[in-house]
Amino acid sequence: MSTHTKHKFLEAFQHVPIYGITSKKDAPHRTVYDIVRDMLESGIRVVQYREKETTGLERYKECLTLRKLTYDYGALLLIDDFVDLALAVKADGVHIGQDDLPPEQVRKLLGPKAIIGLSTHSIEQLERANALVDCIDYIGVGPVFTTKTKPNASAVGLEYVQYARQHSQLPFVAIGGIKTNTIQSVFDAGASIVCVVSELVSARSMEDKIHELMESKHKLMEHTFYE
Ligand SMILES: Cc1ncc(COP(=O)(O)OP(=O)(O)O)c(N)n1
Ligand SMILES: Cc1ncsc1CCOP(=O)(O)O
Ligand SMILES: [Mg+2]
C-alpha cells in the first residue's frame, strides 16, 4: 500500500529472490516448522503459509509457531487466503486470489502496515491490479507453466511474464511449474522474484536446491553485465 510496505517486501528479496510457500504434501514426513526452518536457514525471507488440507485449528497452531520462527530470522510471514488467521497470529500480511475477499476490504481489515498480494492470471487482471496500486503491494503472475500443485489452473506462459515486466506498476512474483529446468526462461522473461513450491519443499537439501536454482540467475546477471 504505502511505499513503506512495498519497500519492506522488496527488501526481503535482496539476497535470495525466492518467495517460499509451504506445502506439507510435498514433504509428508516433515512438519511445516521443519520446512520453514530450512527455507529460512537457506536465506529465504518471505514465507507464505499455504495449507489447504488442514483444519482451521491446526492452521492456527502451525502459524503461531511459524510467526515466532519467522520473527527470529527477521523474515516476513504471509498467509494464503485467510485474513482472520493473519490477524490472529499477527502475520505480516496475506496473499489473496481473484475469488477471495476484494482487496479493498482486506486492506480495511488488516490496516495500512499489512502486505497484501493478489494473484493475476491475465492482462485484464494485471491492469485491474495496476489500478489498485495504492491498496495492494505485489501481484502473483502465474501459473507460468502447468503444475500438479494447482492442477486445475491453466498456464499463462512466459509471454504473460514479459507483459508483467513491461506493464506492472507493482512488484510481481512469477509462480507455477518453476523448476531447475525452467527457471532460466522465467528470469529471461523478466521476472526478478520467483516462487518454486514443490521442487523446493521436496528437495533433499533445500540449501543445495536454492544454489542450483540461483545458478541461472547469476548466469543472467553476468550475461547482462558484460553485454
Ligand atoms: C505468490 C503467490 N502467487 C499466487 C498464488 C495463488 O493464490 P490463489 O490464486 O489464491 O490460489 P491458491 O494459492 O489459494 O490456490 C499464491 N498463493 N502465491
Ligand atoms: C499456488 C500457485 N498459484 C499459481 S501456481 C501455484 C503452485 C505453484 O507450485 P509449483 O512451484 O509446485 O508449481
Ligand atoms: Mg489463495
Side-chain angles (χ1 to χ4, degrees), residues 206-219:
M206 234 185 247
E207 199 175 355
D208 290 351
K209 179 55 72 179
I210 287 177
H211 282 139
E212 203 184 323
L213 288 162
M214 282 306 101
E215 264 173 33
S216 47
K217 172 87 173 165
H218 295 138
K219 271 190 220 143

Side-chain angles (χ1 to χ4, degrees), residues 21 23 25-26 48 50 52 80 95 119 121 141-150 153 175-179 195-200:
I21 295 191
S23 180
K25 67 177 165 51
D26 285 310
Q48 180 190 128
R50 178 180 183 271
K52 303 275 183 190
D80 181 51
H95 185 94
S119 298
H121 318 287
V141 161
V144 181
F145 308 106
T146 52
T147 171
K148 285 186 187 145
T149 311
K150 215 165 154 56
I175 183 168
I178 305 179
K179 298 179 188 294
C195 180
V196 177
V197 184
S198 45
E199 197 174 75
L200 190 59

Side-chain angles (χ1 to χ4, degrees), residues 10-30:
L10 283 177
E11 209 182 20
F13 294 103
Q14 242 174 13
H15 298 296
V16 176
I18 297 184
Y19 180 124
I21 295 191
T22 69
S23 180
K24 285 191 289 183
K25 67 177 165 51
D26 285 310
H29 303 298
R30 310 192 68 210

